[in-house]
Amino acid sequence: MLDVRGALAAATQRLGERLDAELLLLHVLGKPRSWLFAHVDDALEMDVQTAFSALVERRAGGEPVAYITGRQGFWSLELEVTPATLIPRPETELLVELALARLPRDAPCSVADLGTGSGAIALAIASERPLARVVATDASAAALAVAQRNAARLGITNVRFLQGDWLAPLAGQVFDLIVSNPPYIEAADPHLAHGDLRFEPTTALAAGADGLDAIRRIVSDARVHLDPGGWLLFEHGWEQGEAACALLAEAGYVEVFTARDLERRERVSGGKIDLIATRSR
Ligand code: GLN
C-alpha cells in the first residue's frame, strides 16, 4: 500500500522537483499545503494514486503545474489561471508594491491595469485599496473571463473589466495610476521554446523584434489617460531598464526611474505626468 511519503518520493524522483510533486498530490486530494505535515504516513486510495500518476506524467511532459492545478498564488490571493492567461510571477509583486506606494489608503483613487490576464495585478491592488476604482483591460475575452471569475470568487468588487488592446477601451477616461505587465520578450528569444513559456499565450510574452512594441505603445498612449501628477508603472525584462527610461523621458514623463526585483534585476520602470507640462498636452 503506497502512502503519501512514498508517492511523493517517487513523483519527486520522476520530476526532479519536490514542490511540484506536493502541489499535484494536494490538488488531487483537495487539501491545503499545511495538511502534509501531519499526513505523510496516510495510505493513498488506488484512485488517488492513479489520478496523481496521470498529473505527474503531464508535468513530466512539460505542462506548467499552475495549468494542471488551475491555481497560482499571487500577493495574498489564490488565483485561477488557464492557458488563456499568463501564469503570475512572484517578481511582478514588485509592480504591486510600487503601485500601492503611490495610492492613498483612505481616499478614493483611480487605477487602470492594462493586459490584466488572470487579473493578478488589478485584484492585488483592489484588495489592498478598497476605495480605489480599478479598471482592467485585456484583448482576450477568454483571459477576461478568468479575471472576472477571480474577482467574483475572491469577493473583490472594485474592479471593472473591459475588452480591448491596452488603453483602447478607455477612451476619454483618466486615472491617477496606470500599471501593466505587458509582453516584453524579443520575438526570436529561444527561451520562448523552453519550459513553462511554451504553454503560455505568446501574445502575453513576446512583443516584436526588440520586445518593446507593447511598452512603446503603452508609454505613448498612457499620457492622455493620466491625471496631472499621475504615474505610469510597467514591468519589463532585466535588460530593458535603460530603454524603458529613454522611452518615458522622450514621451515627456518626469521622475523616471527603474526598480530592481528581489534578485537585483531591473524589473519595473515608471514615470510621472508633470503637473505643469500636462496643461499644454
Ligand atoms: N517575466 C516573464 C518571463 O520572462 C515574462 C512575462 C512577460 O512577458 N510579461 O518568464
Side-chain angles (χ1 to χ4, degrees), residues 166-205:
W166 313 124
L167 292 139
L170 303 176
Q173 298 183 49
V174 288
F175 302 89
D176 298 309
L177 175 70
I178 296 177
V179 291
S180 183
N181 174 17
Y184 52 71
I185 299 175
E186 296 174 12
D189 191 321
H191 288 108
L192 292 168
H194 290 102
D196 286 4
L197 300 195
R198 285 171 297 166
F199 293 83
E200 295 184 289
T202 310
T203 49
L205 292 169

PDB file of all heavy atoms in Angstrom, residues 166-205:
ATOM      1  N   TRP A 166      -4.759  47.198 -24.677  1.00  0.00           N
ATOM      2  CA  TRP A 166      -4.146  48.228 -23.823  1.00  0.00           C
ATOM      3  C   TRP A 166      -5.153  49.314 -23.421  1.00  0.00           C
ATOM      4  O   TRP A 166      -6.075  49.034 -22.677  1.00  0.00           O
ATOM      5  CB  TRP A 166      -2.896  48.811 -24.506  1.00  0.00           C
ATOM      6  CG  TRP A 166      -2.014  47.716 -25.039  1.00  0.00           C
ATOM      7  CD1 TRP A 166      -1.579  47.545 -26.322  1.00  0.00           C
ATOM      8  CD2 TRP A 166      -1.500  46.578 -24.318  1.00  0.00           C
ATOM      9  NE1 TRP A 166      -0.832  46.399 -26.436  1.00  0.00           N
ATOM     10  CE2 TRP A 166      -0.766  45.789 -25.232  1.00  0.00           C
ATOM     11  CE3 TRP A 166      -1.595  46.142 -22.980  1.00  0.00           C
ATOM     12  CZ2 TRP A 166      -0.143  44.598 -24.863  1.00  0.00           C
ATOM     13  CZ3 TRP A 166      -0.970  44.956 -22.609  1.00  0.00           C
ATOM     14  CH2 TRP A 166      -0.252  44.208 -23.541  1.00  0.00           C
ATOM     15  N   LEU A 167      -4.988  50.540 -23.938  1.00  0.00           N
ATOM     16  CA  LEU A 167      -5.871  51.628 -23.493  1.00  0.00           C
ATOM     17  C   LEU A 167      -7.084  51.825 -24.396  1.00  0.00           C
ATOM     18  O   LEU A 167      -7.915  52.702 -24.139  1.00  0.00           O
ATOM     19  CB  LEU A 167      -5.071  52.934 -23.425  1.00  0.00           C
ATOM     20  CG  LEU A 167      -4.023  52.925 -22.302  1.00  0.00           C
ATOM     21  CD1 LEU A 167      -2.724  53.561 -22.757  1.00  0.00           C
ATOM     22  CD2 LEU A 167      -4.562  53.625 -21.065  1.00  0.00           C
ATOM     23  N   ALA A 168      -7.211  51.023 -25.445  1.00  0.00           N
ATOM     24  CA  ALA A 168      -8.290  51.237 -26.427  1.00  0.00           C
ATOM     25  C   ALA A 168      -9.683  51.314 -25.795  1.00  0.00           C
ATOM     26  O   ALA A 168     -10.481  52.169 -26.180  1.00  0.00           O
ATOM     27  CB  ALA A 168      -8.228  50.166 -27.511  1.00  0.00           C
ATOM     28  N   PRO A 169     -10.008  50.477 -24.810  1.00  0.00           N
ATOM     29  CA  PRO A 169     -11.372  50.544 -24.254  1.00  0.00           C
ATOM     30  C   PRO A 169     -11.565  51.692 -23.256  1.00  0.00           C
ATOM     31  O   PRO A 169     -12.639  51.800 -22.661  1.00  0.00           O
ATOM     32  CB  PRO A 169     -11.544  49.201 -23.527  1.00  0.00           C
ATOM     33  CG  PRO A 169     -10.296  48.443 -23.709  1.00  0.00           C
ATOM     34  CD  PRO A 169      -9.242  49.347 -24.249  1.00  0.00           C
ATOM     35  N   LEU A 170     -10.535  52.532 -23.070  1.00  0.00           N
ATOM     36  CA  LEU A 170     -10.600  53.540 -22.001  1.00  0.00           C
ATOM     37  C   LEU A 170     -10.712  54.960 -22.556  1.00  0.00           C
ATOM     38  O   LEU A 170     -10.349  55.927 -21.876  1.00  0.00           O
ATOM     39  CB  LEU A 170      -9.363  53.419 -21.106  1.00  0.00           C
ATOM     40  CG  LEU A 170      -9.155  52.036 -20.480  1.00  0.00           C
ATOM     41  CD1 LEU A 170      -7.862  51.989 -19.688  1.00  0.00           C
ATOM     42  CD2 LEU A 170     -10.344  51.666 -19.581  1.00  0.00           C
ATOM     43  N   ALA A 171     -11.234  55.099 -23.769  1.00  0.00           N
ATOM     44  CA  ALA A 171     -11.332  56.419 -24.405  1.00  0.00           C
ATOM     45  C   ALA A 171     -11.987  57.428 -23.468  1.00  0.00           C
ATOM     46  O   ALA A 171     -13.031  57.150 -22.882  1.00  0.00           O
ATOM     47  CB  ALA A 171     -12.126  56.318 -25.706  1.00  0.00           C
ATOM     48  N   GLY A 172     -11.331  58.576 -23.319  1.00  0.00           N
ATOM     49  CA  GLY A 172     -11.920  59.653 -22.521  1.00  0.00           C
ATOM     50  C   GLY A 172     -11.758  59.500 -21.018  1.00  0.00           C
ATOM     51  O   GLY A 172     -12.176  60.376 -20.264  1.00  0.00           O
ATOM     52  N   GLN A 173     -11.161  58.384 -20.553  1.00  0.00           N
ATOM     53  CA  GLN A 173     -11.018  58.190 -19.100  1.00  0.00           C
ATOM     54  C   GLN A 173      -9.600  58.546 -18.645  1.00  0.00           C
ATOM     55  O   GLN A 173      -8.634  58.249 -19.342  1.00  0.00           O
ATOM     56  CB  GLN A 173     -11.309  56.739 -18.720  1.00  0.00           C
ATOM     57  CG  GLN A 173     -12.729  56.302 -19.054  1.00  0.00           C
ATOM     58  CD  GLN A 173     -12.992  54.878 -18.584  1.00  0.00           C
ATOM     59  OE1 GLN A 173     -12.703  54.524 -17.447  1.00  0.00           O
ATOM     60  NE2 GLN A 173     -13.528  54.058 -19.465  1.00  0.00           N
ATOM     61  N   VAL A 174      -9.512  59.166 -17.470  1.00  0.00           N
ATOM     62  CA  VAL A 174      -8.191  59.467 -16.903  1.00  0.00           C
ATOM     63  C   VAL A 174      -8.041  58.815 -15.531  1.00  0.00           C
ATOM     64  O   VAL A 174      -9.028  58.599 -14.817  1.00  0.00           O
ATOM     65  CB  VAL A 174      -7.929  60.991 -16.779  1.00  0.00           C
ATOM     66  CG1 VAL A 174      -7.712  61.614 -18.142  1.00  0.00           C
ATOM     67  CG2 VAL A 174      -9.041  61.670 -16.026  1.00  0.00           C
ATOM     68  N   PHE A 175      -6.793  58.516 -15.184  1.00  0.00           N
ATOM     69  CA  PHE A 175      -6.501  57.754 -13.970  1.00  0.00           C
ATOM     70  C   PHE A 175      -5.382  58.413 -13.175  1.00  0.00           C
ATOM     71  O   PHE A 175      -4.578  59.179 -13.711  1.00  0.00           O
ATOM     72  CB  PHE A 175      -6.075  56.324 -14.353  1.00  0.00           C
ATOM     73  CG  PHE A 175      -7.114  55.599 -15.151  1.00  0.00           C
ATOM     74  CD1 PHE A 175      -7.130  55.683 -16.539  1.00  0.00           C
ATOM     75  CD2 PHE A 175      -8.116  54.881 -14.522  1.00  0.00           C
ATOM     76  CE1 PHE A 175      -8.114  55.045 -17.282  1.00  0.00           C
ATOM     77  CE2 PHE A 175      -9.104  54.243 -15.245  1.00  0.00           C
ATOM     78  CZ  PHE A 175      -9.099  54.319 -16.632  1.00  0.00           C
ATOM     79  N   ASP A 176      -5.327  58.066 -11.887  1.00  0.00           N
ATOM     80  CA  ASP A 176      -4.210  58.503 -11.052  1.00  0.00           C
ATOM     81  C   ASP A 176      -2.994  57.617 -11.284  1.00  0.00           C
ATOM     82  O   ASP A 176      -1.860  58.029 -11.065  1.00  0.00           O
ATOM     83  CB  ASP A 176      -4.591  58.417  -9.566  1.00  0.00           C
ATOM     84  CG  ASP A 176      -5.762  59.329  -9.239  1.00  0.00           C
ATOM     85  OD1 ASP A 176      -5.697  60.521  -9.602  1.00  0.00           O
ATOM     86  OD2 ASP A 176      -6.755  58.851  -8.642  1.00  0.00           O
ATOM     87  N   LEU A 177      -3.241  56.378 -11.704  1.00  0.00           N
ATOM     88  CA  LEU A 177      -2.145  55.419 -11.862  1.00  0.00           C
ATOM     89  C   LEU A 177      -2.513  54.426 -12.958  1.00  0.00           C
ATOM     90  O   LEU A 177      -3.643  53.925 -12.988  1.00  0.00           O
ATOM     91  CB  LEU A 177      -1.935  54.675 -10.537  1.00  0.00           C
ATOM     92  CG  LEU A 177      -0.908  53.550 -10.521  1.00  0.00           C
ATOM     93  CD1 LEU A 177       0.497  54.100 -10.634  1.00  0.00           C
ATOM     94  CD2 LEU A 177      -1.032  52.733  -9.245  1.00  0.00           C
ATOM     95  N   ILE A 178      -1.563  54.162 -13.843  1.00  0.00           N
ATOM     96  CA  ILE A 178      -1.745  53.112 -14.853  1.00  0.00           C
ATOM     97  C   ILE A 178      -0.616  52.110 -14.673  1.00  0.00           C
ATOM     98  O   ILE A 178       0.557  52.487 -14.581  1.00  0.00           O
ATOM     99  CB  ILE A 178      -1.732  53.697 -16.283  1.00  0.00           C
ATOM    100  CG1 ILE A 178      -2.931  54.651 -16.463  1.00  0.00           C
ATOM    101  CG2 ILE A 178      -1.776  52.582 -17.327  1.00  0.00           C
ATOM    102  CD1 ILE A 178      -2.970  55.353 -17.820  1.00  0.00           C
ATOM    103  N   VAL A 179      -0.967  50.825 -14.566  1.00  0.00           N
ATOM    104  CA  VAL A 179       0.036  49.768 -14.409  1.00  0.00           C
ATOM    105  C   VAL A 179      -0.128  48.742 -15.521  1.00  0.00           C
ATOM    106  O   VAL A 179      -1.223  48.578 -16.066  1.00  0.00           O
ATOM    107  CB  VAL A 179      -0.082  49.038 -13.043  1.00  0.00           C
ATOM    108  CG1 VAL A 179       0.327  49.949 -11.911  1.00  0.00           C
ATOM    109  CG2 VAL A 179      -1.476  48.482 -12.824  1.00  0.00           C
ATOM    110  N   SER A 180       0.966  48.052 -15.818  1.00  0.00           N
ATOM    111  CA  SER A 180       0.875  46.979 -16.802  1.00  0.00           C
ATOM    112  C   SER A 180       2.049  46.022 -16.662  1.00  0.00           C
ATOM    113  O   SER A 180       3.163  46.440 -16.374  1.00  0.00           O
ATOM    114  CB  SER A 180       0.868  47.552 -18.224  1.00  0.00           C
ATOM    115  OG  SER A 180       0.720  46.503 -19.171  1.00  0.00           O
ATOM    116  N   ASN A 181       1.758  44.731 -16.842  1.00  0.00           N
ATOM    117  CA  ASN A 181       2.813  43.755 -17.087  1.00  0.00           C
ATOM    118  C   ASN A 181       2.615  43.275 -18.524  1.00  0.00           C
ATOM    119  O   ASN A 181       1.960  42.272 -18.763  1.00  0.00           O
ATOM    120  CB  ASN A 181       2.728  42.586 -16.103  1.00  0.00           C
ATOM    121  CG  ASN A 181       3.744  41.494 -16.444  1.00  0.00           C
ATOM    122  OD1 ASN A 181       4.692  41.744 -17.190  1.00  0.00           O
ATOM    123  ND2 ASN A 181       3.537  40.302 -15.920  1.00  0.00           N
ATOM    124  N   PRO A 182       3.149  44.027 -19.471  1.00  0.00           N
ATOM    125  CA  PRO A 182       2.901  43.707 -20.881  1.00  0.00           C
ATOM    126  C   PRO A 182       3.850  42.612 -21.350  1.00  0.00           C
ATOM    127  O   PRO A 182       4.778  42.241 -20.632  1.00  0.00           O
ATOM    128  CB  PRO A 182       3.238  45.037 -21.577  1.00  0.00           C
ATOM    129  CG  PRO A 182       4.353  45.590 -20.746  1.00  0.00           C
ATOM    130  CD  PRO A 182       4.067  45.166 -19.319  1.00  0.00           C
ATOM    131  N   PRO A 183       3.647  42.085 -22.556  1.00  0.00           N
ATOM    132  CA  PRO A 183       4.669  41.198 -23.132  1.00  0.00           C
ATOM    133  C   PRO A 183       5.924  42.012 -23.394  1.00  0.00           C
ATOM    134  O   PRO A 183       5.829  43.173 -23.790  1.00  0.00           O
ATOM    135  CB  PRO A 183       4.026  40.719 -24.436  1.00  0.00           C
ATOM    136  CG  PRO A 183       3.018  41.765 -24.786  1.00  0.00           C
ATOM    137  CD  PRO A 183       2.535  42.319 -23.476  1.00  0.00           C
ATOM    138  N   TYR A 184       7.103  41.415 -23.156  1.00  0.00           N
ATOM    139  CA  TYR A 184       8.338  42.176 -23.395  1.00  0.00           C
ATOM    140  C   TYR A 184       9.511  41.317 -23.851  1.00  0.00           C
ATOM    141  O   TYR A 184      10.647  41.754 -23.863  1.00  0.00           O
ATOM    142  CB  TYR A 184       8.707  43.008 -22.169  1.00  0.00           C
ATOM    143  CG  TYR A 184       8.767  42.239 -20.847  1.00  0.00           C
ATOM    144  CD1 TYR A 184       9.782  41.337 -20.597  1.00  0.00           C
ATOM    145  CD2 TYR A 184       7.815  42.458 -19.857  1.00  0.00           C
ATOM    146  CE1 TYR A 184       9.845  40.655 -19.386  1.00  0.00           C
ATOM    147  CE2 TYR A 184       7.861  41.789 -18.641  1.00  0.00           C
ATOM    148  CZ  TYR A 184       8.872  40.896 -18.408  1.00  0.00           C
ATOM    149  OH  TYR A 184       8.926  40.223 -17.219  1.00  0.00           O
ATOM    150  N   ILE A 185       9.232  40.066 -24.191  1.00  0.00           N
ATOM    151  CA  ILE A 185      10.317  39.193 -24.651  1.00  0.00           C
ATOM    152  C   ILE A 185      10.522  39.405 -26.156  1.00  0.00           C
ATOM    153  O   ILE A 185       9.560  39.611 -26.899  1.00  0.00           O
ATOM    154  CB  ILE A 185       9.980  37.718 -24.338  1.00  0.00           C
ATOM    155  CG1 ILE A 185       9.815  37.546 -22.807  1.00  0.00           C
ATOM    156  CG2 ILE A 185      11.063  36.783 -24.868  1.00  0.00           C
ATOM    157  CD1 ILE A 185       9.367  36.155 -22.391  1.00  0.00           C
ATOM    158  N   GLU A 186      11.797  39.371 -26.598  1.00  0.00           N
ATOM    159  CA  GLU A 186      12.084  39.504 -28.025  1.00  0.00           C
ATOM    160  C   GLU A 186      11.470  38.322 -28.773  1.00  0.00           C
ATOM    161  O   GLU A 186      11.579  37.188 -28.315  1.00  0.00           O
ATOM    162  CB  GLU A 186      13.599  39.533 -28.253  1.00  0.00           C
ATOM    163  CG  GLU A 186      14.259  40.748 -27.627  1.00  0.00           C
ATOM    164  CD  GLU A 186      15.787  40.703 -27.725  1.00  0.00           C
ATOM    165  OE1 GLU A 186      16.323  39.857 -28.462  1.00  0.00           O
ATOM    166  OE2 GLU A 186      16.419  41.530 -27.041  1.00  0.00           O
ATOM    167  N   ALA A 187      10.843  38.617 -29.913  1.00  0.00           N
ATOM    168  CA  ALA A 187      10.111  37.573 -30.645  1.00  0.00           C
ATOM    169  C   ALA A 187      10.988  36.369 -30.981  1.00  0.00           C
ATOM    170  O   ALA A 187      10.500  35.240 -31.035  1.00  0.00           O
ATOM    171  CB  ALA A 187       9.500  38.157 -31.912  1.00  0.00           C
ATOM    172  N   ALA A 188      12.301  36.599 -31.187  1.00  0.00           N
ATOM    173  CA  ALA A 188      13.188  35.499 -31.575  1.00  0.00           C
ATOM    174  C   ALA A 188      13.910  34.868 -30.368  1.00  0.00           C
ATOM    175  O   ALA A 188      14.788  34.020 -30.548  1.00  0.00           O
ATOM    176  CB  ALA A 188      14.226  36.004 -32.580  1.00  0.00           C
ATOM    177  N   ASP A 189      13.541  35.259 -29.152  1.00  0.00           N
ATOM    178  CA  ASP A 189      14.220  34.737 -27.958  1.00  0.00           C
ATOM    179  C   ASP A 189      14.001  33.226 -27.837  1.00  0.00           C
ATOM    180  O   ASP A 189      12.861  32.764 -27.777  1.00  0.00           O
ATOM    181  CB  ASP A 189      13.672  35.449 -26.710  1.00  0.00           C
ATOM    182  CG  ASP A 189      14.493  35.159 -25.461  1.00  0.00           C
ATOM    183  OD1 ASP A 189      14.948  33.992 -25.295  1.00  0.00           O
ATOM    184  OD2 ASP A 189      14.668  36.069 -24.646  1.00  0.00           O
ATOM    185  N   PRO A 190      15.101  32.439 -27.795  1.00  0.00           N
ATOM    186  CA  PRO A 190      14.950  30.982 -27.717  1.00  0.00           C
ATOM    187  C   PRO A 190      14.240  30.502 -26.447  1.00  0.00           C
ATOM    188  O   PRO A 190      13.710  29.395 -26.418  1.00  0.00           O
ATOM    189  CB  PRO A 190      16.398  30.470 -27.773  1.00  0.00           C
ATOM    190  CG  PRO A 190      17.271  31.655 -27.524  1.00  0.00           C
ATOM    191  CD  PRO A 190      16.497  32.873 -27.896  1.00  0.00           C
ATOM    192  N   HIS A 191      14.201  31.338 -25.397  1.00  0.00           N
ATOM    193  CA  HIS A 191      13.504  30.923 -24.162  1.00  0.00           C
ATOM    194  C   HIS A 191      12.032  30.625 -24.402  1.00  0.00           C
ATOM    195  O   HIS A 191      11.407  29.864 -23.668  1.00  0.00           O
ATOM    196  CB  HIS A 191      13.613  32.014 -23.089  1.00  0.00           C
ATOM    197  CG  HIS A 191      14.977  32.127 -22.520  1.00  0.00           C
ATOM    198  ND1 HIS A 191      15.812  33.179 -22.788  1.00  0.00           N
ATOM    199  CD2 HIS A 191      15.674  31.297 -21.705  1.00  0.00           C
ATOM    200  CE1 HIS A 191      16.962  33.004 -22.174  1.00  0.00           C
ATOM    201  NE2 HIS A 191      16.911  31.872 -21.510  1.00  0.00           N
ATOM    202  N   LEU A 192      11.454  31.279 -25.426  1.00  0.00           N
ATOM    203  CA  LEU A 192      10.028  31.062 -25.712  1.00  0.00           C
ATOM    204  C   LEU A 192       9.737  29.601 -26.049  1.00  0.00           C
ATOM    205  O   LEU A 192       8.608  29.145 -25.922  1.00  0.00           O
ATOM    206  CB  LEU A 192       9.572  31.971 -26.863  1.00  0.00           C
ATOM    207  CG  LEU A 192       9.539  33.471 -26.541  1.00  0.00           C
ATOM    208  CD1 LEU A 192       9.366  34.285 -27.822  1.00  0.00           C
ATOM    209  CD2 LEU A 192       8.400  33.776 -25.561  1.00  0.00           C
ATOM    210  N   ALA A 193      10.772  28.876 -26.489  1.00  0.00           N
ATOM    211  CA  ALA A 193      10.581  27.473 -26.881  1.00  0.00           C
ATOM    212  C   ALA A 193      10.947  26.514 -25.749  1.00  0.00           C
ATOM    213  O   ALA A 193      11.067  25.309 -25.970  1.00  0.00           O
ATOM    214  CB  ALA A 193      11.406  27.165 -28.126  1.00  0.00           C
ATOM    215  N   HIS A 194      11.137  27.038 -24.517  1.00  0.00           N
ATOM    216  CA  HIS A 194      11.541  26.185 -23.404  1.00  0.00           C
ATOM    217  C   HIS A 194      10.629  26.335 -22.193  1.00  0.00           C
ATOM    218  O   HIS A 194       9.994  27.377 -22.008  1.00  0.00           O
ATOM    219  CB  HIS A 194      12.987  26.508 -22.991  1.00  0.00           C
ATOM    220  CG  HIS A 194      13.988  26.061 -24.016  1.00  0.00           C
ATOM    221  ND1 HIS A 194      14.584  26.931 -24.888  1.00  0.00           N
ATOM    222  CD2 HIS A 194      14.461  24.826 -24.318  1.00  0.00           C
ATOM    223  CE1 HIS A 194      15.393  26.264 -25.686  1.00  0.00           C
ATOM    224  NE2 HIS A 194      15.340  24.985 -25.368  1.00  0.00           N
ATOM    225  N   GLY A 195      10.607  25.288 -21.385  1.00  0.00           N
ATOM    226  CA  GLY A 195       9.949  25.337 -20.073  1.00  0.00           C
ATOM    227  C   GLY A 195       8.490  25.744 -20.152  1.00  0.00           C
ATOM    228  O   GLY A 195       7.797  25.495 -21.144  1.00  0.00           O
ATOM    229  N   ASP A 196       8.040  26.387 -19.073  1.00  0.00           N
ATOM    230  CA  ASP A 196       6.633  26.775 -18.966  1.00  0.00           C
ATOM    231  C   ASP A 196       6.201  27.727 -20.079  1.00  0.00           C
ATOM    232  O   ASP A 196       5.034  27.732 -20.476  1.00  0.00           O
ATOM    233  CB  ASP A 196       6.380  27.468 -17.608  1.00  0.00           C
ATOM    234  CG  ASP A 196       6.380  26.485 -16.437  1.00  0.00           C
ATOM    235  OD1 ASP A 196       6.660  25.278 -16.675  1.00  0.00           O
ATOM    236  OD2 ASP A 196       6.107  26.908 -15.310  1.00  0.00           O
ATOM    237  N   LEU A 197       7.146  28.550 -20.579  1.00  0.00           N
ATOM    238  CA  LEU A 197       6.788  29.574 -21.581  1.00  0.00           C
ATOM    239  C   LEU A 197       6.132  28.961 -22.816  1.00  0.00           C
ATOM    240  O   LEU A 197       5.303  29.593 -23.458  1.00  0.00           O
ATOM    241  CB  LEU A 197       8.022  30.388 -22.011  1.00  0.00           C
ATOM    242  CG  LEU A 197       8.797  31.195 -20.963  1.00  0.00           C
ATOM    243  CD1 LEU A 197       9.718  32.194 -21.650  1.00  0.00           C
ATOM    244  CD2 LEU A 197       7.877  31.905 -19.994  1.00  0.00           C
ATOM    245  N   ARG A 198       6.511  27.715 -23.166  1.00  0.00           N
ATOM    246  CA  ARG A 198       5.932  27.045 -24.335  1.00  0.00           C
ATOM    247  C   ARG A 198       4.422  26.934 -24.242  1.00  0.00           C
ATOM    248  O   ARG A 198       3.725  26.821 -25.236  1.00  0.00           O
ATOM    249  CB  ARG A 198       6.457  25.603 -24.446  1.00  0.00           C
ATOM    250  CG  ARG A 198       7.857  25.475 -24.942  1.00  0.00           C
ATOM    251  CD  ARG A 198       8.309  24.047 -24.789  1.00  0.00           C
ATOM    252  NE  ARG A 198       8.337  23.637 -23.383  1.00  0.00           N
ATOM    253  CZ  ARG A 198       8.427  22.390 -22.957  1.00  0.00           C
ATOM    254  NH1 ARG A 198       8.463  21.402 -23.829  1.00  0.00           N
ATOM    255  NH2 ARG A 198       8.465  22.115 -21.671  1.00  0.00           N
ATOM    256  N   PHE A 199       3.909  26.881 -23.004  1.00  0.00           N
ATOM    257  CA  PHE A 199       2.483  26.629 -22.793  1.00  0.00           C
ATOM    258  C   PHE A 199       1.681  27.905 -22.579  1.00  0.00           C
ATOM    259  O   PHE A 199       0.466  27.885 -22.529  1.00  0.00           O
ATOM    260  CB  PHE A 199       2.296  25.695 -21.585  1.00  0.00           C
ATOM    261  CG  PHE A 199       2.830  24.313 -21.839  1.00  0.00           C
ATOM    262  CD1 PHE A 199       4.177  24.029 -21.682  1.00  0.00           C
ATOM    263  CD2 PHE A 199       1.987  23.296 -22.268  1.00  0.00           C
ATOM    264  CE1 PHE A 199       4.687  22.754 -21.930  1.00  0.00           C
ATOM    265  CE2 PHE A 199       2.470  22.022 -22.514  1.00  0.00           C
ATOM    266  CZ  PHE A 199       3.819  21.752 -22.345  1.00  0.00           C
ATOM    267  N   GLU A 200       2.386  29.026 -22.412  1.00  0.00           N
ATOM    268  CA  GLU A 200       1.700  30.286 -22.125  1.00  0.00           C
ATOM    269  C   GLU A 200       1.366  31.018 -23.417  1.00  0.00           C
ATOM    270  O   GLU A 200       1.984  30.795 -24.450  1.00  0.00           O
ATOM    271  CB  GLU A 200       2.588  31.154 -21.214  1.00  0.00           C
ATOM    272  CG  GLU A 200       2.797  30.512 -19.859  1.00  0.00           C
ATOM    273  CD  GLU A 200       3.593  31.382 -18.904  1.00  0.00           C
ATOM    274  OE1 GLU A 200       4.806  31.536 -19.126  1.00  0.00           O
ATOM    275  OE2 GLU A 200       3.004  31.892 -17.945  1.00  0.00           O
ATOM    276  N   PRO A 201       0.353  31.926 -23.381  1.00  0.00           N
ATOM    277  CA  PRO A 201      -0.025  32.630 -24.604  1.00  0.00           C
ATOM    278  C   PRO A 201       1.130  33.510 -25.102  1.00  0.00           C
ATOM    279  O   PRO A 201       1.621  34.360 -24.355  1.00  0.00           O
ATOM    280  CB  PRO A 201      -1.216  33.498 -24.182  1.00  0.00           C
ATOM    281  CG  PRO A 201      -1.434  33.291 -22.726  1.00  0.00           C
ATOM    282  CD  PRO A 201      -0.442  32.303 -22.208  1.00  0.00           C
ATOM    283  N   THR A 202       1.543  33.312 -26.336  1.00  0.00           N
ATOM    284  CA  THR A 202       2.653  34.093 -26.898  1.00  0.00           C
ATOM    285  C   THR A 202       2.343  35.584 -26.869  1.00  0.00           C
ATOM    286  O   THR A 202       3.223  36.412 -26.661  1.00  0.00           O
ATOM    287  CB  THR A 202       2.934  33.652 -28.349  1.00  0.00           C
ATOM    288  OG1 THR A 202       3.036  32.238 -28.355  1.00  0.00           O
ATOM    289  CG2 THR A 202       4.239  34.232 -28.865  1.00  0.00           C
ATOM    290  N   THR A 203       1.054  35.915 -27.059  1.00  0.00           N
ATOM    291  CA  THR A 203       0.667  37.334 -27.055  1.00  0.00           C
ATOM    292  C   THR A 203       0.920  37.983 -25.695  1.00  0.00           C
ATOM    293  O   THR A 203       1.008  39.201 -25.603  1.00  0.00           O
ATOM    294  CB  THR A 203      -0.824  37.497 -27.383  1.00  0.00           C
ATOM    295  OG1 THR A 203      -1.566  36.602 -26.556  1.00  0.00           O
ATOM    296  CG2 THR A 203      -1.099  37.201 -28.844  1.00  0.00           C
ATOM    297  N   ALA A 204       1.016  37.190 -24.640  1.00  0.00           N
ATOM    298  CA  ALA A 204       1.286  37.737 -23.309  1.00  0.00           C
ATOM    299  C   ALA A 204       2.781  37.775 -23.013  1.00  0.00           C
ATOM    300  O   ALA A 204       3.196  38.315 -21.991  1.00  0.00           O
ATOM    301  CB  ALA A 204       0.569  36.915 -22.245  1.00  0.00           C
ATOM    302  N   LEU A 205       3.589  37.196 -23.904  1.00  0.00           N
ATOM    303  CA  LEU A 205       5.027  37.075 -23.634  1.00  0.00           C
ATOM    304  C   LEU A 205       5.891  37.898 -24.583  1.00  0.00           C
ATOM    305  O   LEU A 205       6.789  38.611 -24.150  1.00  0.00           O
ATOM    306  CB  LEU A 205       5.445  35.599 -23.768  1.00  0.00           C
ATOM    307  CG  LEU A 205       4.931  34.622 -22.730  1.00  0.00           C
ATOM    308  CD1 LEU A 205       5.220  33.191 -23.174  1.00  0.00           C
ATOM    309  CD2 LEU A 205       5.582  34.893 -21.377  1.00  0.00           C
TER     310      LEU A 205
END
